Amino acid sequence: MDKRFLKQLGLRKHNAGTMTGLESTNSSKYIKSFSPVDGELIGSVSKTTREEYDAVIAAAQEAFKTWRLLPAPKRGEIIRQYGEELRRMKDPLGRLVSYEMGKSLQEGWGEVQEMIDICDFAVGLSRQLYGLSMHSERPGHRMYEQWHPLGIVGVISAFNFPVAVWSWNAMIALVCGDVVVWKPSEKAPMCGVACQQLFQKVLQENEVPEGVCSLINGDYKVGEFLTKDERVALVSATGSIRMGKIVAATVGARLGKTLLELGGNNAIIVTPNADLDIVLTGALFGAVGTAGQRCTSTRRLIVHESIYDEVKQKLAKAYPQLRIGDPLDENNHVGPLIDTQAVDQYLSAIEAVEREGGNFLVEGGRLEGDAYSSGCYVKPCIAEVEHDFEIVHHETFAPILYLIKYSDLSEALAYNNEVPQGLSSAIMTNNLREAELFLSAAGSDCGIANVNIGTSGAEIGGAFGGEKETGGGRESGSDAWKAYMRRQTNTINYSETLPLAQGIKFDL
């Protein structure tokens, strides 16, 4: 395989794991990154020690004093320059994402494009950090609210979007005046190093203080440095529900702030009024895109009984046409799972379906042979199940699609909402009443509810996140920026007296 993209990104056999501002350190203890594509060693990243971490935080605290006072549009200009750097390096960075994580090359490039898009959004936002003006009940007074940066924002990201989710948080937080410390997934550390090195180039050119944006590397223990540290005002964590509950409890115990993006168990409801060509496209990509390792992947397809057999036949015909293999080959649709542990979880889910009495419309299993030598490739599969199977209520990060039959829309909505996760959802229908019911307070209980598009993916302009065990956090667009700032209410008395609120008087 041609790996010139590693050299283009300045990656070496051994890479520093701690980068604060313009300097980096090396602990001589390494995380090795093996590609799920071919099982080969990509490189290694040094683990961040406690001493190095404390140095990072000290530098961040000092940098915040300067960065918060830089006018927001000037902070936005620096983010704009990073967006330009990403445009220049989109091809090699997208290839690294594909090779280290295993998603298709188109998706790798697409993830870098999301980074570019959030940079553009953040540039515009830098001139729109609006407060409100309110009428005071006291004469000669003006009352308003404004927003100030929090301080240090810790970002813990997951392997499935190794660069985009960090940028959703970091670009917005930085424009808001915060400083950022990032711990990427130990399953995709090289992507973190590449992004940080590209950003440091921009920061250095702008003579930005050391510590504005830093990188630390390691396992969950390094993540605990952030969650337990009272100096870190906000921890934004993306990952499993189990991880999120630990983060929430730890940060909450010190009354810190969290922004959680956790599991999804996303469903598409298909009504008799649906365009089945759209259904097939939305369900297929939603279920097998990124090999089912998106938090927005389609897990459940809830189909009306009158069209159930037709939908089933179309899916059964489409799945054998999927090409599985090296994701850097643009002819392939599906790449590998992240590692063999993920394969084991996929196989365990298949066994659970069989134990509960499910039937496989399209069989799954691990793929063998020279083309799949890493041991991380599996077959996307479809299982006919009942809505209340225990396994159906759990998120399996793999390309398993559960096919469920329903008889009326109220039943379908109940099925959609009965799982503990609440991230993304969709309805396929050309009936306005069905669509509006799905979007109403009596409809989907998810943070994302779509009509005639699938569950997978999100646009930068909208706030991304979900309810229930998905964690309640919101990232990216809309007013998600408010999570990275603190609100302050201000009252100014420009009169010559001091009238008190609620008519209170003192005789002095």
Short mmCIF file of all heavy atoms in Angstrom, two decimals, residues 246-311:
data_model
loop_
_atom_site.label_atom_id
_atom_site.label_comp_id
_atom_site.label_asym_id
_atom_site.label_seq_id
_atom_site.Cartn_x
_atom_site.Cartn_y
_atom_site.Cartn_z
N ILE A 246 -19.68 7.29 33.88
CA ILE A 246 -18.51 7.48 34.76
C ILE A 246 -18.03 8.92 34.69
O ILE A 246 -17.75 9.56 35.72
CB ILE A 246 -17.38 6.51 34.37
CG1 ILE A 246 -17.81 5.06 34.63
CG2 ILE A 246 -16.10 6.83 35.13
CD1 ILE A 246 -16.86 4.02 34.08
N VAL A 247 -17.95 9.47 33.48
CA VAL A 247 -17.52 10.85 33.30
C VAL A 247 -18.49 11.80 34.00
O VAL A 247 -18.08 12.72 34.73
CB VAL A 247 -17.40 11.20 31.80
CG1 VAL A 247 -17.21 12.70 31.61
CG2 VAL A 247 -16.25 10.43 31.16
N ALA A 248 -19.79 11.59 33.80
CA ALA A 248 -20.79 12.47 34.40
C ALA A 248 -20.70 12.46 35.92
O ALA A 248 -20.77 13.52 36.57
CB ALA A 248 -22.18 12.06 33.96
N ALA A 249 -20.54 11.27 36.50
CA ALA A 249 -20.46 11.16 37.96
C ALA A 249 -19.19 11.80 38.50
O ALA A 249 -19.22 12.51 39.52
CB ALA A 249 -20.52 9.69 38.37
N THR A 250 -18.08 11.59 37.81
CA THR A 250 -16.80 12.13 38.27
C THR A 250 -16.76 13.65 38.18
O THR A 250 -16.38 14.34 39.14
CB THR A 250 -15.64 11.53 37.46
OG1 THR A 250 -15.70 10.10 37.53
CG2 THR A 250 -14.30 12.00 37.99
N VAL A 251 -17.15 14.19 37.03
CA VAL A 251 -17.14 15.64 36.86
C VAL A 251 -18.22 16.29 37.71
O VAL A 251 -18.02 17.35 38.30
CB VAL A 251 -17.30 16.01 35.37
CG1 VAL A 251 -17.33 17.53 35.19
CG2 VAL A 251 -16.18 15.41 34.54
N GLY A 252 -19.39 15.63 37.81
CA GLY A 252 -20.47 16.17 38.62
C GLY A 252 -20.12 16.25 40.09
O GLY A 252 -20.56 17.17 40.80
N ALA A 253 -19.30 15.32 40.56
CA ALA A 253 -18.91 15.31 41.97
C ALA A 253 -18.12 16.56 42.34
O ALA A 253 -18.12 16.98 43.51
CB ALA A 253 -18.09 14.07 42.27
N ARG A 254 -17.45 17.16 41.35
CA ARG A 254 -16.72 18.41 41.62
C ARG A 254 -17.48 19.62 41.07
O ARG A 254 -16.93 20.72 40.98
CB ARG A 254 -15.32 18.35 41.03
CG ARG A 254 -15.23 18.13 39.52
CD ARG A 254 -13.77 18.15 39.08
NE ARG A 254 -13.57 17.87 37.66
CZ ARG A 254 -13.67 18.79 36.69
NH1 ARG A 254 -13.99 20.04 36.98
NH2 ARG A 254 -13.43 18.46 35.44
N LEU A 255 -18.76 19.40 40.69
CA LEU A 255 -19.63 20.44 40.15
C LEU A 255 -19.08 21.08 38.89
O LEU A 255 -19.29 22.27 38.63
CB LEU A 255 -19.93 21.50 41.21
CG LEU A 255 -20.70 21.01 42.44
CD1 LEU A 255 -20.97 22.16 43.40
CD2 LEU A 255 -22.00 20.33 42.05
N GLY A 256 -18.36 20.27 38.11
CA GLY A 256 -17.91 20.74 36.81
C GLY A 256 -19.00 20.53 35.77
O GLY A 256 -20.05 19.95 36.03
N LYS A 257 -18.74 20.99 34.56
CA LYS A 257 -19.70 20.88 33.46
C LYS A 257 -19.30 19.73 32.54
O LYS A 257 -18.12 19.48 32.32
CB LYS A 257 -19.77 22.18 32.65
CG LYS A 257 -20.23 23.39 33.45
CD LYS A 257 -20.20 24.64 32.58
CE LYS A 257 -20.60 25.89 33.36
NZ LYS A 257 -22.02 25.85 33.75
N THR A 258 -20.31 19.04 31.99
CA THR A 258 -20.06 18.00 31.00
C THR A 258 -20.91 18.23 29.76
O THR A 258 -22.00 18.81 29.83
CB THR A 258 -20.37 16.59 31.55
OG1 THR A 258 -21.72 16.55 32.03
CG2 THR A 258 -19.42 16.20 32.66
N LEU A 259 -20.40 17.76 28.65
CA LEU A 259 -21.13 17.70 27.39
C LEU A 259 -20.95 16.29 26.88
O LEU A 259 -19.84 15.91 26.50
CB LEU A 259 -20.59 18.74 26.40
CG LEU A 259 -21.41 19.05 25.16
CD1 LEU A 259 -20.93 20.34 24.51
CD2 LEU A 259 -21.37 17.93 24.13
N LEU A 260 -22.02 15.49 26.91
CA LEU A 260 -21.91 14.05 26.63
C LEU A 260 -22.59 13.69 25.33
O LEU A 260 -23.75 14.04 25.10
CB LEU A 260 -22.51 13.25 27.78
CG LEU A 260 -21.90 13.49 29.17
CD1 LEU A 260 -22.66 12.70 30.22
CD2 LEU A 260 -20.42 13.13 29.18
N GLU A 261 -21.87 12.97 24.48
CA GLU A 261 -22.42 12.38 23.24
C GLU A 261 -22.16 10.89 23.32
O GLU A 261 -21.05 10.43 23.05
CB GLU A 261 -21.74 12.99 22.01
CG GLU A 261 -22.01 14.47 21.81
CD GLU A 261 -23.43 14.78 21.43
OE1 GLU A 261 -24.20 13.83 21.13
OE2 GLU A 261 -23.80 15.97 21.45
N LEU A 262 -23.19 10.13 23.67
CA LEU A 262 -23.01 8.72 23.98
C LEU A 262 -23.71 7.84 22.96
O LEU A 262 -23.78 8.17 21.79
CB LEU A 262 -23.48 8.46 25.41
CG LEU A 262 -22.90 9.45 26.46
CD1 LEU A 262 -23.48 9.20 27.83
CD2 LEU A 262 -21.39 9.41 26.47
N GLY A 263 -24.23 6.70 23.37
CA GLY A 263 -24.71 5.70 22.43
C GLY A 263 -25.97 6.09 21.67
O GLY A 263 -26.74 6.95 22.07
N GLY A 264 -26.16 5.41 20.54
CA GLY A 264 -27.37 5.56 19.75
C GLY A 264 -27.92 4.19 19.37
O GLY A 264 -27.18 3.23 19.24
N ASN A 265 -29.23 4.09 19.26
CA ASN A 265 -29.88 2.85 18.83
C ASN A 265 -31.00 3.27 17.88
O ASN A 265 -32.18 3.19 18.20
CB ASN A 265 -30.43 2.09 20.04
CG ASN A 265 -30.84 0.67 19.71
OD1 ASN A 265 -30.94 0.32 18.53
ND2 ASN A 265 -31.07 -0.13 20.71
N ASN A 266 -30.59 3.70 16.71
CA ASN A 266 -31.43 4.53 15.86
C ASN A 266 -32.34 3.72 14.95
O ASN A 266 -31.94 2.69 14.41
CB ASN A 266 -30.52 5.44 15.03
CG ASN A 266 -29.41 6.02 15.90
OD1 ASN A 266 -29.66 6.79 16.80
ND2 ASN A 266 -28.17 5.59 15.65
N ALA A 267 -33.55 4.22 14.78
CA ALA A 267 -34.57 3.50 14.00
C ALA A 267 -35.07 4.35 12.85
O ALA A 267 -35.15 5.58 12.94
CB ALA A 267 -35.73 3.10 14.91
N ILE A 268 -35.45 3.67 11.78
CA ILE A 268 -36.20 4.27 10.68
C ILE A 268 -37.58 3.60 10.67
O ILE A 268 -37.67 2.37 10.61
CB ILE A 268 -35.53 4.07 9.32
CG1 ILE A 268 -34.16 4.76 9.28
CG2 ILE A 268 -36.41 4.60 8.19
CD1 ILE A 268 -33.40 4.51 7.97
N ILE A 269 -38.63 4.40 10.74
CA ILE A 269 -39.99 3.89 10.58
C ILE A 269 -40.37 4.01 9.11
O ILE A 269 -40.23 5.08 8.50
CB ILE A 269 -40.98 4.69 11.45
CG1 ILE A 269 -40.66 4.49 12.94
CG2 ILE A 269 -42.42 4.29 11.16
CD1 ILE A 269 -41.48 5.37 13.87
N VAL A 270 -40.86 2.92 8.53
CA VAL A 270 -41.26 2.91 7.12
C VAL A 270 -42.76 2.69 7.05
O VAL A 270 -43.27 1.64 7.44
CB VAL A 270 -40.52 1.80 6.34
CG1 VAL A 270 -40.87 1.87 4.86
CG2 VAL A 270 -39.02 1.90 6.54
N THR A 271 -43.49 3.70 6.57
CA THR A 271 -44.95 3.60 6.49
C THR A 271 -45.37 3.15 5.09
O THR A 271 -44.56 3.18 4.14
CB THR A 271 -45.61 4.95 6.81
OG1 THR A 271 -45.61 5.78 5.64
CG2 THR A 271 -44.92 5.66 7.97
N PRO A 272 -46.64 2.76 4.91
CA PRO A 272 -47.12 2.36 3.57
C PRO A 272 -47.05 3.50 2.56
O PRO A 272 -47.14 3.25 1.35
CB PRO A 272 -48.57 1.94 3.83
CG PRO A 272 -48.62 1.59 5.28
CD PRO A 272 -47.66 2.52 5.94
N ASN A 273 -46.89 4.73 3.02
CA ASN A 273 -46.82 5.89 2.13
C ASN A 273 -45.40 6.27 1.76
O ASN A 273 -45.16 7.36 1.23
CB ASN A 273 -47.52 7.08 2.80
CG ASN A 273 -48.98 6.82 3.09
OD1 ASN A 273 -49.77 6.62 2.16
ND2 ASN A 273 -49.35 6.79 4.36
N ALA A 274 -44.44 5.41 2.04
CA ALA A 274 -43.04 5.72 1.79
C ALA A 274 -42.65 5.45 0.34
O ALA A 274 -43.23 4.58 -0.33
CB ALA A 274 -42.16 4.89 2.72
N ASP A 275 -41.66 6.19 -0.13
CA ASP A 275 -41.01 5.91 -1.42
C ASP A 275 -39.94 4.85 -1.13
O ASP A 275 -38.93 5.14 -0.49
CB ASP A 275 -40.37 7.19 -1.96
CG ASP A 275 -39.70 7.01 -3.30
OD1 ASP A 275 -39.18 5.91 -3.57
OD2 ASP A 275 -39.64 7.99 -4.07
N LEU A 276 -40.14 3.63 -1.60
CA LEU A 276 -39.26 2.53 -1.22
C LEU A 276 -37.86 2.65 -1.80
O LEU A 276 -36.91 2.06 -1.25
CB LEU A 276 -39.90 1.19 -1.62
CG LEU A 276 -41.21 0.83 -0.88
CD1 LEU A 276 -41.61 -0.60 -1.18
CD2 LEU A 276 -41.06 1.04 0.62
N ASP A 277 -37.70 3.40 -2.87
CA ASP A 277 -36.34 3.63 -3.38
C ASP A 277 -35.53 4.46 -2.38
O ASP A 277 -34.35 4.20 -2.12
CB ASP A 277 -36.38 4.34 -4.73
CG ASP A 277 -36.89 3.43 -5.85
OD1 ASP A 277 -36.77 2.20 -5.70
OD2 ASP A 277 -37.42 3.95 -6.85
N ILE A 278 -36.17 5.47 -1.79
CA ILE A 278 -35.52 6.28 -0.76
C ILE A 278 -35.25 5.44 0.48
O ILE A 278 -34.20 5.54 1.11
CB ILE A 278 -36.37 7.52 -0.43
CG1 ILE A 278 -36.40 8.48 -1.62
CG2 ILE A 278 -35.84 8.23 0.82
CD1 ILE A 278 -37.24 9.72 -1.39
N VAL A 279 -36.21 4.59 0.82
CA VAL A 279 -36.05 3.71 1.98
C VAL A 279 -34.79 2.85 1.82
O VAL A 279 -33.98 2.72 2.75
CB VAL A 279 -37.28 2.80 2.16
CG1 VAL A 279 -37.01 1.71 3.20
CG2 VAL A 279 -38.49 3.63 2.56
N LEU A 280 -34.64 2.25 0.66
CA LEU A 280 -33.53 1.34 0.43
C LEU A 280 -32.19 2.08 0.56
O LEU A 280 -31.27 1.60 1.23
CB LEU A 280 -33.65 0.71 -0.96
CG LEU A 280 -32.64 -0.39 -1.29
CD1 LEU A 280 -32.83 -1.58 -0.37
CD2 LEU A 280 -32.75 -0.81 -2.74
N THR A 281 -32.10 3.25 -0.05
CA THR A 281 -30.85 4.02 0.02
C THR A 281 -30.54 4.43 1.45
O THR A 281 -29.42 4.26 1.94
CB THR A 281 -30.95 5.28 -0.87
OG1 THR A 281 -31.22 4.88 -2.21
CG2 THR A 281 -29.66 6.08 -0.81
N GLY A 282 -31.55 4.99 2.15
CA GLY A 282 -31.33 5.46 3.51
C GLY A 282 -30.99 4.35 4.48
O GLY A 282 -30.08 4.48 5.31
N ALA A 283 -31.70 3.23 4.37
CA ALA A 283 -31.46 2.11 5.29
C ALA A 283 -30.12 1.45 5.01
O ALA A 283 -29.39 1.09 5.95
CB ALA A 283 -32.59 1.09 5.17
N LEU A 284 -29.77 1.31 3.74
CA LEU A 284 -28.53 0.61 3.39
C LEU A 284 -27.31 1.39 3.87
O LEU A 284 -26.45 0.84 4.57
CB LEU A 284 -28.47 0.40 1.87
CG LEU A 284 -27.38 -0.52 1.35
CD1 LEU A 284 -27.58 -1.93 1.88
CD2 LEU A 284 -27.37 -0.54 -0.18
N PHE A 285 -27.23 2.68 3.52
CA PHE A 285 -26.07 3.44 3.97
C PHE A 285 -26.08 3.59 5.48
O PHE A 285 -25.04 3.51 6.14
CB PHE A 285 -26.02 4.82 3.32
CG PHE A 285 -24.86 5.64 3.84
CD1 PHE A 285 -23.56 5.34 3.46
CD2 PHE A 285 -25.07 6.69 4.72
CE1 PHE A 285 -22.49 6.07 3.95
CE2 PHE A 285 -24.00 7.42 5.22
CZ PHE A 285 -22.71 7.11 4.83
N GLY A 286 -27.25 3.82 6.06
CA GLY A 286 -27.34 3.98 7.51
C GLY A 286 -26.85 2.77 8.27
O GLY A 286 -26.24 2.88 9.33
N ALA A 287 -27.10 1.57 7.72
CA ALA A 287 -26.74 0.34 8.41
C ALA A 287 -25.29 -0.08 8.18
O ALA A 287 -24.66 -0.63 9.09
CB ALA A 287 -27.67 -0.79 7.98
N VAL A 288 -24.76 0.16 6.99
CA VAL A 288 -23.42 -0.37 6.67
C VAL A 288 -22.34 0.70 6.56
O VAL A 288 -21.16 0.38 6.54
CB VAL A 288 -23.44 -1.22 5.38
CG1 VAL A 288 -24.51 -2.29 5.45
CG2 VAL A 288 -23.63 -0.34 4.13
N GLY A 289 -22.71 1.98 6.48
CA GLY A 289 -21.72 3.04 6.43
C GLY A 289 -20.83 3.00 7.67
O GLY A 289 -21.30 2.76 8.78
N THR A 290 -19.53 3.20 7.46
CA THR A 290 -18.53 3.10 8.54
C THR A 290 -18.62 1.73 9.22
O THR A 290 -18.32 1.59 10.41
CB THR A 290 -18.70 4.24 9.57
OG1 THR A 290 -19.06 5.44 8.90
CG2 THR A 290 -17.41 4.48 10.33
N ALA A 291 -19.06 0.72 8.46
CA ALA A 291 -19.23 -0.64 8.98
C ALA A 291 -20.10 -0.65 10.24
O ALA A 291 -19.88 -1.42 11.17
CB ALA A 291 -17.87 -1.30 9.26
N GLY A 292 -21.13 0.20 10.24
CA GLY A 292 -22.06 0.24 11.37
C GLY A 292 -21.47 0.83 12.64
O GLY A 292 -22.02 0.62 13.73
N GLN A 293 -20.38 1.59 12.53
CA GLN A 293 -19.70 2.11 13.71
C GLN A 293 -19.93 3.61 13.90
O GLN A 293 -19.11 4.31 14.48
CB GLN A 293 -18.20 1.83 13.62
CG GLN A 293 -17.87 0.34 13.64
CD GLN A 293 -16.41 0.07 13.37
OE1 GLN A 293 -15.66 -0.34 14.25
NE2 GLN A 293 -15.99 0.32 12.13
N ARG A 294 -21.05 4.10 13.42
CA ARG A 294 -21.44 5.48 13.69
C ARG A 294 -22.42 5.48 14.87
O ARG A 294 -23.23 4.56 15.01
CB ARG A 294 -22.15 6.11 12.49
CG ARG A 294 -21.25 6.34 11.29
CD ARG A 294 -22.02 7.01 10.17
NE ARG A 294 -21.15 7.36 9.06
CZ ARG A 294 -21.24 8.49 8.37
NH1 ARG A 294 -22.18 9.37 8.66
NH2 ARG A 294 -20.41 8.74 7.38
N CYS A 295 -22.37 6.53 15.67
CA CYS A 295 -23.37 6.63 16.74
C CYS A 295 -24.75 6.85 16.14
O CYS A 295 -25.77 6.58 16.80
CB CYS A 295 -23.01 7.73 17.73
SG CYS A 295 -22.63 9.30 16.95
N THR A 296 -24.81 7.32 14.89
CA THR A 296 -26.09 7.51 14.21
C THR A 296 -26.43 6.38 13.24
O THR A 296 -27.39 6.50 12.47
CB THR A 296 -26.09 8.85 13.42
OG1 THR A 296 -24.97 8.86 12.53
CG2 THR A 296 -26.02 10.03 14.37
N SER A 297 -25.67 5.29 13.25
CA SER A 297 -25.96 4.17 12.35
C SER A 297 -27.39 3.66 12.56
O SER A 297 -27.91 3.66 13.68
CB SER A 297 -24.99 3.02 12.60
OG SER A 297 -23.70 3.35 12.16
N THR A 298 -28.01 3.21 11.49
CA THR A 298 -29.35 2.65 11.58
C THR A 298 -29.26 1.23 12.13
O THR A 298 -28.66 0.35 11.52
CB THR A 298 -30.03 2.63 10.20
OG1 THR A 298 -30.05 3.96 9.66
CG2 THR A 298 -31.46 2.12 10.32
N ARG A 299 -29.84 1.03 13.30
CA ARG A 299 -29.84 -0.29 13.95
C ARG A 299 -31.16 -1.02 13.72
O ARG A 299 -31.18 -2.25 13.66
CB ARG A 299 -29.64 -0.14 15.47
CG ARG A 299 -28.48 0.75 15.88
CD ARG A 299 -27.16 0.11 15.65
NE ARG A 299 -26.06 1.02 15.97
CZ ARG A 299 -24.84 0.87 15.51
NH1 ARG A 299 -24.53 -0.14 14.72
NH2 ARG A 299 -23.88 1.73 15.84
N ARG A 300 -32.26 -0.26 13.65
CA ARG A 300 -33.59 -0.87 13.59
C ARG A 300 -34.38 -0.30 12.41
O ARG A 300 -34.40 0.92 12.22
CB ARG A 300 -34.35 -0.61 14.90
CG ARG A 300 -33.66 -1.19 16.14
CD ARG A 300 -34.35 -0.75 17.42
NE ARG A 300 -34.22 0.69 17.63
CZ ARG A 300 -35.15 1.45 18.19
NH1 ARG A 300 -36.30 0.92 18.59
NH2 ARG A 300 -34.95 2.74 18.36
N LEU A 301 -34.99 -1.17 11.64
CA LEU A 301 -35.87 -0.76 10.54
C LEU A 301 -37.27 -1.26 10.89
O LEU A 301 -37.53 -2.47 10.88
CB LEU A 301 -35.37 -1.36 9.23
CG LEU A 301 -35.95 -0.75 7.94
CD1 LEU A 301 -35.56 0.72 7.82
CD2 LEU A 301 -35.48 -1.52 6.71
N ILE A 302 -38.15 -0.33 11.22
CA ILE A 302 -39.49 -0.65 11.72
C ILE A 302 -40.46 -0.46 10.55
O ILE A 302 -40.76 0.67 10.14
CB ILE A 302 -39.85 0.25 12.91
CG1 ILE A 302 -38.80 0.11 14.02
CG2 ILE A 302 -41.23 -0.10 13.45
CD1 ILE A 302 -38.93 1.11 15.14
N VAL A 303 -40.97 -1.57 9.99
CA VAL A 303 -41.67 -1.55 8.70
C VAL A 303 -43.13 -1.98 8.87
O VAL A 303 -43.42 -2.96 9.56
CB VAL A 303 -40.97 -2.49 7.69
CG1 VAL A 303 -41.62 -2.39 6.32
CG2 VAL A 303 -39.48 -2.16 7.60
N HIS A 304 -44.02 -1.25 8.22
CA HIS A 304 -45.45 -1.61 8.29
C HIS A 304 -45.69 -2.97 7.67
O HIS A 304 -45.07 -3.33 6.65
CB HIS A 304 -46.29 -0.55 7.58
CG HIS A 304 -47.76 -0.70 7.83
ND1 HIS A 304 -48.58 -1.46 7.01
CD2 HIS A 304 -48.54 -0.22 8.84
CE1 HIS A 304 -49.82 -1.41 7.49
NE2 HIS A 304 -49.83 -0.67 8.60
N GLU A 305 -46.59 -3.71 8.27
CA GLU A 305 -46.84 -5.10 7.85
C GLU A 305 -47.28 -5.21 6.40
O GLU A 305 -47.01 -6.23 5.74
CB GLU A 305 -47.89 -5.74 8.77
CG GLU A 305 -49.22 -5.01 8.80
CD GLU A 305 -50.16 -5.54 9.87
OE1 GLU A 305 -49.72 -6.37 10.69
OE2 GLU A 305 -51.33 -5.09 9.90
N SER A 306 -47.95 -4.18 5.86
CA SER A 306 -48.46 -4.26 4.48
C SER A 306 -47.34 -4.21 3.44
O SER A 306 -47.54 -4.63 2.30
CB SER A 306 -49.45 -3.12 4.23
OG SER A 306 -48.80 -1.86 4.28
N ILE A 307 -46.17 -3.68 3.80
CA ILE A 307 -45.05 -3.58 2.85
C ILE A 307 -43.82 -4.31 3.37
O ILE A 307 -42.76 -4.23 2.75
CB ILE A 307 -44.71 -2.10 2.55
CG1 ILE A 307 -44.41 -1.33 3.85
CG2 ILE A 307 -45.82 -1.42 1.77
CD1 ILE A 307 -43.85 0.05 3.62
N TYR A 308 -43.98 -5.01 4.45
CA TYR A 308 -42.84 -5.67 5.09
C TYR A 308 -42.13 -6.63 4.14
O TYR A 308 -40.91 -6.59 4.00
CB TYR A 308 -43.32 -6.41 6.34
CG TYR A 308 -42.22 -7.10 7.12
CD1 TYR A 308 -41.48 -6.41 8.07
CD2 TYR A 308 -41.94 -8.46 6.91
CE1 TYR A 308 -40.48 -7.03 8.80
CE2 TYR A 308 -40.93 -9.09 7.63
CZ TYR A 308 -40.21 -8.38 8.57
OH TYR A 308 -39.23 -9.00 9.27
N ASP A 309 -42.87 -7.49 3.49
CA ASP A 309 -42.26 -8.49 2.61
C ASP A 309 -41.54 -7.84 1.43
O ASP A 309 -40.45 -8.28 1.03
CB ASP A 309 -43.31 -9.48 2.11
CG ASP A 309 -43.78 -10.43 3.19
OD1 ASP A 309 -43.05 -10.59 4.20
OD2 ASP A 309 -44.88 -11.00 3.05
N GLU A 310 -42.12 -6.77 0.89
CA GLU A 310 -41.50 -6.09 -0.24
C GLU A 310 -40.18 -5.44 0.17
O GLU A 310 -39.17 -5.54 -0.53
CB GLU A 310 -42.45 -5.04 -0.81
CG GLU A 310 -41.92 -4.35 -2.06
CD GLU A 310 -42.89 -3.34 -2.64
OE1 GLU A 310 -43.98 -3.16 -2.07
OE2 GLU A 310 -42.53 -2.73 -3.68
N VAL A 311 -40.18 -4.77 1.33
CA VAL A 311 -38.96 -4.14 1.82
C VAL A 311 -37.90 -5.20 2.10
O VAL A 311 -36.72 -5.04 1.76
CB VAL A 311 -39.26 -3.32 3.09
CG1 VAL A 311 -37.95 -2.86 3.75
CG2 VAL A 311 -40.14 -2.12 2.76
#
